Amino acid sequence: MNRQLRLLQRTLASARSYTTGTKAAAAQTKLFMNGQFIDSQTTEWIDVRNPATQALVTQVPKTTSKELDEAAHNAQLAFRDWRRTSVITRQRKMLDLQHAIRSHMDTLAASIVEEQGKVLSDAKGDVMRGLQVVESMSGIADLLLGSKLEVSADMDTYTAREPLGVVAGICPFNFPAMIPLWMFPVALATGNTCLLKPSERDPGAAMLLAQLCNDVGIPPGVLNVVHGAHDTVNFLTSDPRIRAVSFVGGDKAGKYIYERSTGNGKRCQANLGAKNHAIVLPDANKEHALNAITGAAFGAAGQRCMALSVAVFVGKSSDWVPEIVERARDLKVNGGFEADADLGPMISPEALARAEALIQSAADQGASVVLDGRGVHVPKYPKGNFLGPTVIDHATVQMQCYQEEIFGPVLTCVHVDTLDEALELVNGNRYGNGASIFTRSGASARKFQSQVEAGQVGINVPIPVPLPMFSFTGNKGSFLGDTNFYGRSGINFYTQLKTVTSLWSKQDADDRTATVHMPTIH
């Protein structure tokens, strides 16, 4: 525990580079514009509280309209030079950035624990999954390769990928490092400049990442970090200098951002809500399936867009529910820095109250709450937003607990007789982020992967989030847009094709003097 406290102290010391304040007043998070951390001139601030203690961590500015305009102007000016930097220069910056992130992994993770509430190991995983995207951008030269064809005598047609210009990223609270790293490294590596809005609930990790970008020499104005709520979102989705908007978050905000962005002529990719199912067949490896489902349902306090929130038990596998309950009951709910913590608090009292209300609705509508995590007692953190692992059994698809994304450590269990019924149930859900099956049958697995209507499919894998050599491919009601996040889809989102047709006749060639020096490229 002392080690974790020292780690937190180092994080707070680092925070002085981008916050101001005294012991008597909460620190105020700064803006990051044109390569500098600056104080906002706003009169409106948003409190950020530690979800385990309710201690005031910092105050986040609602960026003023003048400051937003300045940030967009800085990004627009920086784009003129940044787009002309060679691909190997941008590749080098990505290599330097991934090294800096890896070197500051503990600091970033501690910031996430303090502001978002994740347990430390999960916070490190948050950073690591984002880091992998940065590492993949170290191969940006290959990803930007175009195509060429001699279409006629002496005539060539070729394509090149070019950056869009200024782009924006709007991030959720649940992955304070990973989601920003899905966005701005891909945007920057492809030659764009970026305005990033981290969640107003936990901006610390994004600010630390901005500092690391400064440290590795990414030029002023290429990355800018602004804060706020509705007014900031409205600016990012309407200002004509911004060409594209990336968003991850809930349904209501996502639909608004997508419609407003596209209505203003911008590209938009928006990851929304989810209700991820796992089908459990009787022939599955029981120990593996139950352990995997337990971890995927309750890890990160269920606050993952790919959390496994519905288990569909087929036939005799229904008898395994009590063993899920046993495993869930053994999980330790505690503050994120505690060594024995398996899951930490939820992000806010409001999120906790909403999850508790959905649990109650399940009981009211006839389901069985076989493990009730409401009112869990965490002695060291009596003010925390804690909800213990909860298992709802014998739910139906009509129930509110099934229809809505709970976004908490709650597993809803439903029962069917056949794989066909299970597939019909999964495909009938409006969301399509992910779905998994647990089975030893190759035939059942093939049928599932072929017929299931979800963008990311796991076979004996509970959270099938692709590594960044692929793309995050949620679909149906979980995604709005045409082009997904990171991987080659991410490259396509942040670039536009230019096609050139050129004619150089052979008879126009002149004799030239040979050169013998080693050619170099800069």
Side-chain angles (χ1 to χ4, degrees):
M1 181 58 189
N2 289 335
R3 177 180 176 275
Q4 307 307 339
L5 287 173
R6 290 194 298 272
L7 187 60
L8 177 57
Q9 289 166 355
R10 291 199 298 272
T11 300
L12 296 176
S14 299
R16 296 192 186 103
S17 67
Y18 60 85
T19 61
T20 61
T22 67
K23 292 182 179 178
Q28 293 180 338
T29 297
K30 295 190 177 186
L31 305 171
F32 180 70
M33 298 198 309
N34 210 29
Q36 296 181 323
F37 293 96
I38 64 172
D39 294 316
S40 174
Q41 299 305 303
T42 188
T43 58
E44 298 182 86
W45 300 85
I46 302 167
D47 289 346
V48 174
R49 296 188 178 275
N50 183 317
T53 65
Q54 306 308 320
L56 187 60
V57 178
T58 186
Q59 291 182 308
V60 178
K62 291 187 177 181
T63 308
T64 68
S65 58
K66 181 179 179 181
E67 291 162 346
L68 290 168
D69 181 73
E70 182 182 351
H73 179 68
N74 291 337
Q76 188 178 42
L77 290 180
F79 175 65
R80 297 175 184 176
D81 292 330
W82 182 246
R83 70 175 301 176
R84 296 191 189 99
T85 58
S86 69
V87 66
I88 56 175
T89 296
R90 299 197 302 270
Q91 178 176 266
R92 178 72 257 172
K93 294 303 180 187
M94 293 299 109
L95 286 165
D96 293 343
L97 181 59
Q98 65 84 22
H99 177 71
I101 293 170
R102 190 176 293 276
S103 299
H104 292 82
M105 176 81 69
D106 288 350
T107 302
L108 285 158
S111 171
I112 293 170
V113 175
E114 187 192 17
E115 293 183 352
Q116 199 273 347
K118 291 185 181 184
V119 301
L120 186 60
S121 59
D122 196 40
K124 289 182 179 180
D126 184 330
V127 180
M128 178 58 71
R129 290 307 297 262
L131 173 62
Q132 290 168 342
V133 176
V134 183
E135 290 174 336
S136 74
M137 289 302 100
S138 300
I140 187 62
D142 180 65
L143 293 169
L144 287 177
L145 285 175
S147 57
K148 181 179 178 181
L149 180 67
E150 185 175 359
V151 296
S152 184
D154 300 333
M155 182 178 288
D156 301 310
T157 297
Y158 58 92
T159 60
R161 290 202 169 273
E162 295 191 340
L164 301 177
V166 182
V167 300
I170 302 172
C171 304
F173 74 85
N174 57 327
F175 285 97
M178 184 183 79
I179 300 300
L181 292 171
W182 280 12
M183 297 177 181
F184 79 80
V186 186
L188 270 54
T190 49
N192 301 279
T193 57
C194 183
L195 269 63
L196 184 74
K197 191 197 92 63
S199 171
E200 65 276 14
R201 297 178 181 181
D202 47 17
M207 299 306 291
L208 289 166
L209 290 170
Q211 178 64 62
L212 296 180
C213 286
N214 245 10
D215 293 346
V216 302
I218 290 176
V222 172
L223 175 66
N224 303 271
V225 182
V226 296
H227 304 287
H230 299 91
D231 289 346
T232 302
V233 168
N234 286 342
F235 176 87
L236 297 176
T237 53
S238 64
D239 189 274
R241 290 166 291 191
I242 297 171
R243 298 286 308 280
V245 177
S246 298
F247 169 80
V248 175
D251 285 2
K252 183 178 179 181
K255 290 174 182 177
Y256 176 82
I257 287 167
Y258 180 80
E259 291 171 3
R260 186 175 171 93
S261 297
T262 55
N264 285 312
K266 305 179 191 306
R267 291 186 182 182
C268 186
Q269 53 180 186
N271 275 3
L272 311 182
K275 201 74 175 180
N276 305 304
H277 295 62
I279 295 174
V280 186
L281 297 186
D283 67 353
N285 179 324
K286 183 169 77 169
E287 293 303 311
H288 170 70
L290 298 183
N291 288 333
I293 291 169
T294 301
F298 305 117
Q303 297 174 124
R304 294 171 174 154
C305 62
M306 284 294 288
L308 205 165
S309 53
V310 180
V312 184
F313 291 94
V314 179
K316 293 183 179 180
S317 70
S318 293
D319 296 340
W320 301 353
V321 173
E323 294 181 61
I324 287 268
V325 172
E326 289 177 15
R327 286 167 168 78
R329 186 179 284 118
D330 288 340
L331 296 176
K332 183 71 173 180
V333 182
N334 213 336
F337 285 115
E338 304 299 332
D340 64 349
D342 293 309
L343 61 153
M346 297 184 67
I347 188 65
S348 68
E350 294 77 16
L352 173 62
R354 179 181 177 277
E356 290 179 335
L358 286 168
I359 295 168
Q360 185 58 47
S361 76
D364 294 342
Q365 293 175 345
S368 301
V369 183
V370 292
L371 180 63
D372 193 340
R374 290 174 292 179
V376 62
H377 181 55
V378 182
K380 194 171 179 179
Y381 301 94
K383 297 181 180 180
N385 309 318
F386 292 104
L387 176 63
T390 297
V391 180
I392 299 170
D393 198 14
H394 297 291
T396 66
V397 297
Q398 294 79 23
M399 292 180 180
Q400 190 179 6
C401 67
Y402 177 83
Q403 289 293 329
E404 295 191 24
E405 183 179 30
I406 299 175
F407 223 59
V410 181
L411 177 66
T412 302
C413 301
V414 295
H415 302 266
V416 297
D417 293 328
T418 66
L419 175 56
D420 285 333
E421 291 178 63
L423 281 164
E424 183 179 1
L425 186 149
V426 174
N427 292 342
N429 191 272
R430 68 182 183 276
Y431 292 117
N433 242 11
S436 298
I437 190 170
F438 289 90
T439 180
R440 284 191 175 102
S441 166
S444 296
R446 181 171 290 278
K447 179 175 182 175
F448 171 77
Q449 74 178 47
S450 174
Q451 297 184 15
V452 72
E453 296 172 5
Q456 291 156 135
V457 176
I459 298 174
N460 297 316
V461 175
I463 305 179
V465 177
L467 289 168
M469 62 284 293
F470 298 95
S471 299
F472 191 97
T473 53
N475 62 27
K476 292 169 62 178
S478 295
F479 181 73
L480 289 173
D482 299 312
T483 311
N484 298 101
F485 284 83
Y486 64 79
R488 291 194 178 274
S489 290
I491 300 297
N492 292 341
F493 180 78
Y494 286 117
T495 59
Q496 55 194 352
L497 283 174
K498 178 178 282 186
T499 305
V500 178
T501 300
S502 63
L503 173 64
W504 299 104
S505 298
K506 292 183 178 66
Q507 62 264 31
D508 295 336
D510 295 325
D511 291 335
R512 298 182 183 276
T513 303
T515 58
V516 295
H517 65 271
M518 172 67 73
T520 58
I521 300 173
H522 301 284

